[in-house]
């Protein structure tokens, strides 16, 4: 049997194009949220490997990472502008479709003899590929390799993309997940750390793009109507106008799908969040609830600079407290508890005290290592005696986002919710010290949350009160947190 294109190759090839387009465009959206690339996980301004902004990060005044998010052009990024929330939903949805397509493809390759198309079975492939390259450089088309529908250079290129580039792209993607990194800090180190993994992930995008461009060019060079017919019809030879039309229609569907994705994000970001997020929410929940944080970085790994996100509360009541070193601070505990409580920092310290040196991961892409000390949340919750109806813990900040981040149009005080299950997981704590000092105001004084398997926005700073609830839908806009309400993020963020 000749190694033509069976229908399943035609189908997986098409799905691959569809998913790669969505992956690339949403990936660009995500990376523009933090246009700096670092060679280590400290992300110290001025020490970038490269960056996509001319502006310089000031070191003499407070600056939050959100102020550095780019306004991504919608023709390039999905959904465009500052749309990382919906960009992530598209990225993870397309990722799941792409991985599934890839698995079906690989399994079918192996159970048929089609794997011979891609896997070279002789070292001769290298000199033959070189020969083919030379022929191309002389503007001629090399003949197919013996027994193959294409030449040795094509075979090598396809092998590299399927068996090296694609797995590497998945591996570097996983190396950025806070849940995976919290459970297995050695894993991102395989790539030289999270920031190097992020850079490699971006280079992977460039490599895919280069491959697609050259591959498309080659289809044109090898003779567009015949090659095009084969892409659609498989082993057919000659030119089939109907097949050419079907192929073009396939591309048109991809274009329309992209336009529809933009329209959805623009008309109803909320609907986009609710339609697109559920599949990857399942994955994020699995990771977050089953991978427990066990990070113990040495003190020498503490970052010399730690980015912030969220500006301190500008209100008078908060400033009064800060002026007195938070002496009068009382943490209020309300909701579904046997008795409401009001605790001072000294009270909290009597409940428990632990330290942890861990890596923080912001959804925008930056990281930083610090030591955080305070009371483990599991111990604190025991002390609060929540009633059996309590299912979620809500953390309310002092900061009114209408004042500290007016450009989003969001209102109300910052808040986030945790499922009780996640709340009692290891290394989740209420911290009042950072790097052995009282918590600095920009990092959340007097009290902040640490949840080490999650992205940074879950870790509420400037905590004013903690509420146990059986349902979070009546709080804020009802989606489980301020960033879920206004930035369309998912409520559980282990990736
Ligand atoms: N109250 C409050 N907490 C907050 C935020 C905020 O805006 N307000 N931003 C969150 C985000 S997006 C991140 S990444 C972390 C950053 O923590 P850091 O500023 O201490 O580095 O805080 C989180 N906690
Ligand atoms: Mo963040």
């Amino acid at each position: 049997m000749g190694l033509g294109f069976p229908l399943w190759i035609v189908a997986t090839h098409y799905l691959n194009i569809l998913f790669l387009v969505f992956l690339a465009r949403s990936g660009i959206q995500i990376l523009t949220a933090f246009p700096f690339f670092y060679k280590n996980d400290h992300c110290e301004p001025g020490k970038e490997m490269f960056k996509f902004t001319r502006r310089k990060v000031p070191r003499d005044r407070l600056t939050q990472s959100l102020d550095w998010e780019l306004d991504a052009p919608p023709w390039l990024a999905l959904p465009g502008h500052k749309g990382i929330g919906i960009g992530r939903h598209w990225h993870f949805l397309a990722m799941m479709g792409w991985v599934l397509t890839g698995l079906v493809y690989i399994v079918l390759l192996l159970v048929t003899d089609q794997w011979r198309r891609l896997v070279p079975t002789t070292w001769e492939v290298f000199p033959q590929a070189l020969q083919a390259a030379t022929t191309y450089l002389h503007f001629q088309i090399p003949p197919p390799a013996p027994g193959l529908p294409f030449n040795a250079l094509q075979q090598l290129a396809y092998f590299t993309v399927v068996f090296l580039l694609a797995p590497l792209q998945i591996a570097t993607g996983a190396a950025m997940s806070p849940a995976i990194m919290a459970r297995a800090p050695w894993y991102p180190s395989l790539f030289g750390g999270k920031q190097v993994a992020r850079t490699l992930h971006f280079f992977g995008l460039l490599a895919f793009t280069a491959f697609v461009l050259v591959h498309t060019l080659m289809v044109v060079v090898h003779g567009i109507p015949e090659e095009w017919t084969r892409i659609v019809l498989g082993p057919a030879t000659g030119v089939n106008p109907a097949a050419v039309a079907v192929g073009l229609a396939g591309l048109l569907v991809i274009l329309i799908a992209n336009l529809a994705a933009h329209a959805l994000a623009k008309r109803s970001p909320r609907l986009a969040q609710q339609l697109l997020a559920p599949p990857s929410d399942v994955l994020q929940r699995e990771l977050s609830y089953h991978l427990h944080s066990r990070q113990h970085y040495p003190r020498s790994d503490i970052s010399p600079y730690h980015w912030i996100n969220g500006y301190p509360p500008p209100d008078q009541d908060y400033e009064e407290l800060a002026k007195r070193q938070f002496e009068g601070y009382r943490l209020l505990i309300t909701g579904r508890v046997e008795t409401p409580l009001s605790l001072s920092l000294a009270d909290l310290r009597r409940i428990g005290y632990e330290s942890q040196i861990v890596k923080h991961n912001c959804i925008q892409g930056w990281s930083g290592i610090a030591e955080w000390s305070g009371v483990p949340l599991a111990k604190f919750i025991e002390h609060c005696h929540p009633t059996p109806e309590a299912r979620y813990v809500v953390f309310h900040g002092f900061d009114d986002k209408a004042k500290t981040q007016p450009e989003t149009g969001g209102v109300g005080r910052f808040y986030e919710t945790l499922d009780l299950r996640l709340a009692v997981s290891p290394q989740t704590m209420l911290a009042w010290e950072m790097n052995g000092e009282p918590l600095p105001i920009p990092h959340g004084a007097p009290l902040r949350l640490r949840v080490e398997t999650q992205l940074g926005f879950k870790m509420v700073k400037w905590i004013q009160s903690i509420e146990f609830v059986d349902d979070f839908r009546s709080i804020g806009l009802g989606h489980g947190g301020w960033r879920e309400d206004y930035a369309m993020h998912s409520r559980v963020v282990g990736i």
Side-chain angles (χ1 to χ4, degrees), residues 162-300:
V162 173
F163 292 104
L164 292 175
L165 186 55
L168 198 69
Q169 200 66 351
I170 296 168
T172 51
M176 290 183 273
S177 147
I180 293 175
M181 171 175 340
R183 170 63 176 74
W186 56 266
Y187 177 67
S189 311
L190 293 179
F191 305 95
K194 169 178 173 140
Q195 297 303 324
V196 176
R198 182 173 181 254
T199 307
L200 290 174
H201 202 67
F202 170 55
F203 288 169
L205 165 68
L206 297 183
F208 267 111
T209 311
F211 170 76
V212 169
L213 289 179
V214 175
H215 183 55
T216 312
L217 180 72
M218 285 301 147
V219 171
V220 176
V221 167
H222 278 247
I224 182 85
E226 293 88 354
E227 288 292 316
W228 192 267
T229 303
R230 287 178 42 171
I231 293 169
V232 178
L233 274 192
T237 47
V239 181
N240 182 325
V244 173
V246 168
L248 284 176
L251 289 187
L252 193 64
V253 166
I254 293 178
L255 178 69
I256 292 171
N258 275 270
L259 293 176
H262 282 277
L264 174 65
K266 197 164 181 178
R267 291 246 180 93
S268 178
R270 179 70 63 211
L271 187 61
Q273 175 195 42
Q274 297 194 327
L275 286 179
L276 307 172
S280 85
D281 283 355
V282 174
L283 180 66
Q284 307 222 33
R285 212 160 283 142
E286 285 306 308
L287 289 176
S288 303
Y289 295 169
H290 296 109
L291 298 181
H292 290 164
S293 181
R294 33 163 105 168
Q295 306 176 70
H296 305 282
Y297 291 94
R299 233 177 222 118
S300 55

Side-chain angles (χ1 to χ4, degrees), residues 74-146:
W75 62 265
L76 183 64
L78 178 68
H81 304 299
K82 297 189 174 177
I84 184 182
I86 289 166
R88 277 169 54 93
H89 300 325
W90 276 118
H91 201 67
F92 299 147
L93 196 64
M95 178 269 284
M96 293 171 111
W98 185 66
V99 168
L100 211 64
T101 305
L103 286 177
V104 168
Y105 174 74
I106 300 284
V107 167
L108 287 174
L109 269 190
L110 295 181
V111 300
T112 63
D113 59 357
Q114 290 284 339
W115 60 270
R116 289 172 192 279
R117 304 165 63 86
L118 296 193
V119 185
T121 47
T122 156
W123 294 110
E124 283 300 294
V125 70
F126 289 104
Q128 284 170 1
L130 200 65
Q131 210 173 8
T134 319
T135 315
Y136 278 123
L137 288 177
H138 286 87
F139 298 102
Q140 281 163 2
I141 293 181

Side-chain angles (χ1 to χ4, degrees), residues 214-390:
V214 175
H215 183 55
T216 312
L217 180 72
M218 285 301 147
V219 171
V220 176
V221 167
H222 278 247
I224 182 85
E226 293 88 354
E227 288 292 316
W228 192 267
T229 303
R230 287 178 42 171
I231 293 169
V232 178
L233 274 192
T237 47
V239 181
N240 182 325
V244 173
V246 168
L248 284 176
L251 289 187
L252 193 64
V253 166
I254 293 178
L255 178 69
I256 292 171
N258 275 270
L259 293 176
H262 282 277
L264 174 65
K266 197 164 181 178
R267 291 246 180 93
S268 178
R270 179 70 63 211
L271 187 61
Q273 175 195 42
Q274 297 194 327
L275 286 179
L276 307 172
S280 85
D281 283 355
V282 174
L283 180 66
Q284 307 222 33
R285 212 160 283 142
E286 285 306 308
L287 289 176
S288 303
Y289 295 169
H290 296 109
L291 298 181
H292 290 164
S293 181
R294 33 163 105 168
Q295 306 176 70
H296 305 282
Y297 291 94
R299 233 177 222 118
S300 55
D301 276 359
I302 290 176
S303 300
Y305 180 94
H306 198 292
W307 280 86
I308 68 148
N309 237 347
Y311 284 121
D315 308 78
Q316 189 136 38
D317 52 346
Y318 177 80
E319 273 164 14
E320 289 293 323
L321 274 177
K323 237 184 261 159
R324 292 186 288 134
Q325 274 75 48
F326 300 101
E327 239 175 61
Y329 173 72
R330 287 287 180 284
L331 171 67
L332 306 176
I333 296 117
T334 63
R336 305 234 170 234
V337 285
E338 278 170 18
T339 41
L341 296 171
S342 149
L343 304 174
S344 67
L345 288 180
D347 294 334
L348 286 173
R349 193 178 177 120
R350 275 191 287 275
I351 301 172
Y353 180 81
E354 268 175 31
S355 292
Q356 61 201 35
I357 302 179
V358 294
K359 194 175 287 172
H360 180 100
N361 294 282
C362 172
I363 199 163
Q364 288 179 263
W366 57 267
S367 52
I369 299 173
E371 178 175 30
W372 305 95
S373 311
V375 60
L377 199 61
K379 268 197 185 160
F380 167 82
I381 289 174
E382 238 173 73
H383 188 87
C384 296
H385 299 289
T387 62
E389 304 91 77

Side-chain angles (χ1 to χ4, degrees), residues 41-59:
D41 290 357
H42 302 313
C43 300
E44 195 179 347
K47 301 224 166 134
E48 292 81 18
M49 269 193 291
F50 57 94
K51 53 187 180 131
F52 294 114
T53 172
R54 290 239 171 84
R55 293 159 64 213
K56 232 182 121 211
V57 180
R59 295 288 292 262

Side-chain angles (χ1 to χ4, degrees), residues 15-76:
L15 287 176
N16 186 44
I17 304 171
L18 172 74
F19 290 132
L20 275 181
V21 168
F22 274 83
L23 276 170
R25 302 189 65 237
S26 57
I28 291 167
Q29 180 73 58
I30 295 169
L31 75 86
T32 56
F34 189 67
F36 305 96
F37 290 81
Y38 295 96
K39 62 179 182 300
N40 62 45
D41 290 357
H42 302 313
C43 300
E44 195 179 347
K47 301 224 166 134
E48 292 81 18
M49 269 193 291
F50 57 94
K51 53 187 180 131
F52 294 114
T53 172
R54 290 239 171 84
R55 293 159 64 213
K56 232 182 121 211
V57 180
R59 295 288 292 262
D60 54 349
R61 64 180 163 84
L62 210 54
T63 182
Q64 65 165 352
S65 66
L66 269 169
D67 294 347
W68 299 85
E69 186 176 16
L70 299 181
D71 186 341
W75 62 265
L76 183 64

Side-chain angles (χ1 to χ4, degrees), residues 474-485:
S474 59
I475 303 167
L477 295 186
H479 303 281
W482 198 88
R483 299 242 192 265
E484 291 86 333
D485 286 347

